[in-house]
Amino acid sequence: MEIDSLIANVPDIEAALRELASRIGLRPFLRFDLAEAQTSIPVALLNVGKVSLELLGHVEGERPESGVLSSVEIDAPGLDEMTFNPAPEMNIVCHPAKTPRVRSVQITSLRPSEDERLLLEQLGAVSTEAKGRVKLGSVELRLVAADPTPRQQLPSLHFRGWHRFSVKVPSVTIVHRQLIYSGLGSLRKPFRVMPGLSESMVTLPSGAILQLTQQELWKMMPMLAVEWTKSRLLQRPMRFKIKPVIPEIEV
């Protein structure tokens, strides 16, 4: 598996996008609203090499002490070395380089050894020479021990800052079930964002959230075209509504 995207919850998506544009020249390639129940969440997608950064304009719940993505390290052309926060708890460390890419993600964990074992055994991560560091594709995951705290509940899906990372899978329903059987926790069963795009969420032992993403571009394109046309005619953002996936296999 390879990391496909990194997701952050931000209280003010416009302010975060302005900061990313002014500091490192990143601008969204796609924006839309995601509707679920009575909530409509603005979403913006930006590319750093092969990995997308996904900003969701919705924050609620306390940020946990364990299982959080505490920092993201990127390479970007034509920039000076810098560290900044486009939004609260969204730390970015930027290095000058010829080619843009996400270099590493730091995860603060109460159970780093268990996280590392499952990443290696079940997610296809590759071990590095340094303890607590593995690679998913070209991105290094750095597991940093957190201070011991009481056992916490399953994390909110909307705590502030860097929130979860995603990987592409051929079947969300099948892989979700396999990972639960292998020891990961089920946070959210498969759901459909739009035709051709389904997701689910599982947790590592620390509580770190992994999003599974199944994409079929040929199914997505007609809906994207329809919503783009609607957004132009009605002068509003594109909108997609979350729906449960009716799984062929119990998950």
Side-chain angles (χ1 to χ4, degrees), residues 143-182:
L143 299 163
V144 178
D147 293 332
T149 58
R151 185 174 180 82
Q152 51 193 330
Q153 300 295 320
L154 284 176
S156 160
L157 289 177
H158 300 292
F159 65 78
R160 67 187 183 277
W162 291 120
H163 173 245
R164 62 185 184 265
F165 61 101
S166 78
V167 295
K168 287 183 181 177
V169 296
S171 170
V172 161
T173 54
I174 292 174
V175 176
H176 186 101
R177 186 183 67 163
Q178 290 173 339
L179 292 180
I180 300 313
Y181 286 170
S182 71

Side-chain angles (χ1 to χ4, degrees), residues 1-231:
M1 294 184 183
E2 295 187 5
I3 290 182
D4 176 59
S5 64
L6 301 170
I7 298 98
N9 294 318
V10 300
D12 186 338
I13 196 168
E14 300 301 334
L17 289 173
R18 286 195 299 270
E19 186 76 356
L20 286 165
S22 64
R23 289 293 195 108
I24 56 177
L26 277 184
R27 290 174 174 80
F29 66 87
L30 182 63
R31 298 192 64 174
F32 57 90
D33 286 348
L34 193 59
E36 182 179 24
Q38 303 302 312
T39 304
S40 182
I41 302 172
V43 180
L45 303 180
L46 311 90
N47 273 343
V48 179
K50 296 180 179 180
V51 177
S52 65
L53 307 184
E54 183 174 336
L55 305 189
L56 289 84
H58 182 65
V59 173
E60 66 180 20
E62 293 296 317
R63 184 173 169 86
E65 295 297 322
S66 176
V68 296
L69 280 60
S70 48
S71 186
V72 170
E73 199 172 5
I74 70 171
D75 290 342
L79 297 174
D80 295 329
E81 195 97 13
M82 72 174 82
T83 299
F84 71 107
N85 291 70
E89 305 292 350
M90 191 185 167
N91 188 66
I92 295 179
V93 179
C94 186
H95 303 282
K98 292 182 178 179
T99 305
R101 72 179 180 110
V102 173
R103 182 186 291 193
S104 70
V105 177
Q106 181 171 290
I107 300 175
T108 302
S109 171
L110 283 171
R111 302 164 73 179
S113 296
E114 294 177 55
D115 284 348
E116 183 177 1
R117 177 181 61 79
L118 284 174
L119 285 165
L120 292 169
E121 294 178 1
Q122 304 301 330
L123 298 175
V126 177
S127 183
T128 68
E129 294 181 0
K131 182 176 175 57
R133 297 189 178 189
V134 301
K135 296 192 80 171
L136 269 180
S138 61
V139 180
E140 185 177 72
L141 297 177
R142 301 179 180 181
L143 299 163
V144 178
D147 293 332
T149 58
R151 185 174 180 82
Q152 51 193 330
Q153 300 295 320
L154 284 176
S156 160
L157 289 177
H158 300 292
F159 65 78
R160 67 187 183 277
W162 291 120
H163 173 245
R164 62 185 184 265
F165 61 101
S166 78
V167 295
K168 287 183 181 177
V169 296
S171 170
V172 161
T173 54
I174 292 174
V175 176
H176 186 101
R177 186 183 67 163
Q178 290 173 339
L179 292 180
I180 300 313
Y181 286 170
S182 71
L184 277 73
S186 179
L187 181 62
R188 182 153 189 183
K189 290 185 177 182
F191 58 95
R192 193 187 77 173
V193 179
M194 69 178 82
L197 177 59
S198 299
E199 299 172 350
S200 74
M201 297 177 202
V202 298
T203 58
L204 296 176
S206 64
I209 301 172
L210 169 64
Q211 178 175 294
L212 307 177
T213 301
Q214 178 183 345
Q215 293 183 7
E216 295 170 290
L217 192 59
W218 63 277
K219 290 183 180 179
M220 293 168 60
M221 291 306 295
M223 177 60 74
L224 286 169
V226 167
E227 278 301 315
W228 183 86
T229 302
K230 279 183 172 180
S231 71

